[in-house]
């Protein structure tokens, strides 16, 4: 427990680096949100900077989960928290409908690391196989 604060600080630093890299390498047209917007301090800085020098920013960007009600966000947070606990058994979790689609694609042999293109790639391989 004594080390927990430094561990959490390190993890948050790594997440922030990953989010900055995501912003750098994934075009805004694809990601549609600022991945750093999950950090309250970043959002605050963006609002302040936008109010003083809007030409230096891309404007305020929505958070990834702003469209969800707070209760739904808290349910998701609870699930994430439970998943990190010792002896966690995912068989007892209520999974979202999207999980069924993901597992089906995975079982069918799709490259699920390319989730958003798996369907179009499958169509291309069906089309090219028919020729």
């Amino acid at each position: 427990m004594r080390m927990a604060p430094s561990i959490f600080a390190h993890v948050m630093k790594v997440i922030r680096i990953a989010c900055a890299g995501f912003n750098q390498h994934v075009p805004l047209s694809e990601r549609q949100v600022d991945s750093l917007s999950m950090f309250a301090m970043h959002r605050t800085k963006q609002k302040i900077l936008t109010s003083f020098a809007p030409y230096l920013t891309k404007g305020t960007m929505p958070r990834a989960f702003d469209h969800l009600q707070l209760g739904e966000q808290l349910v998701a947070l609870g699930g994430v928290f439970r998943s990190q606990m010792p002896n966690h058994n995912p068989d007892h979790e209520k999974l979202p409908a999207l999980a069924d689609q993901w597992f089906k694609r995975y079982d069918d042999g799709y490259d699920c690391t390319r989730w958003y293109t798996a369907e179009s790639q499958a169509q291309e391989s069906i089309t090219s196989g028919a020729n």
Side-chain angles (χ1 to χ4, degrees):
M1 291 307 292
R2 180 174 44 100
M3 296 303 297
S6 62
I7 292 168
F8 288 127
H10 172 73
V11 168
M12 292 308 292
K13 184 177 180 181
V14 170
I15 290 172
R16 190 177 291 273
I17 290 169
C19 288
F22 195 75
N23 278 353
Q24 181 181 356
H25 298 289
V26 178
L28 179 60
S29 61
E30 293 293 319
R31 60 182 154 88
Q32 299 181 4
V33 295
D34 180 358
S35 63
L36 287 168
S37 67
M38 74 171 94
F39 299 101
M41 184 62 76
H42 177 76
R43 289 192 313 274
T44 302
K45 285 179 185 178
Q46 285 294 100
K47 285 179 184 175
I48 292 170
L49 188 57
T50 301
S51 66
F52 287 110
Y55 53 88
L56 293 177
T57 69
K58 295 178 184 170
T60 57
M61 299 183 77
R63 292 175 52 212
F65 303 109
D66 276 347
H67 65 282
L68 295 176
Q69 294 181 4
L70 180 59
E72 292 174 328
Q73 292 181 36
L74 293 175
V75 167
L77 179 62
V80 169
F81 183 76
R82 282 191 311 278
S83 73
Q84 302 305 305
M85 302 308 296
N87 302 319
H88 171 72
N89 184 348
D91 292 338
H92 301 118
E93 292 293 328
K94 179 182 173 194
L95 297 176
L98 180 62
D100 290 334
Q101 291 177 326
W102 191 94
F103 286 124
K104 181 175 179 349
R105 282 190 184 173
Y106 181 82
D107 290 341
D108 289 344
Y110 290 112
D111 178 6
C112 290
T113 62
R114 308 226 182 264
W115 173 259
Y116 294 104
T117 59
E119 197 167 284
S120 62
Q121 288 175 352
Q123 290 299 325
E124 287 175 14
S125 65
I126 290 170
T127 304
S128 64
N131 292 332

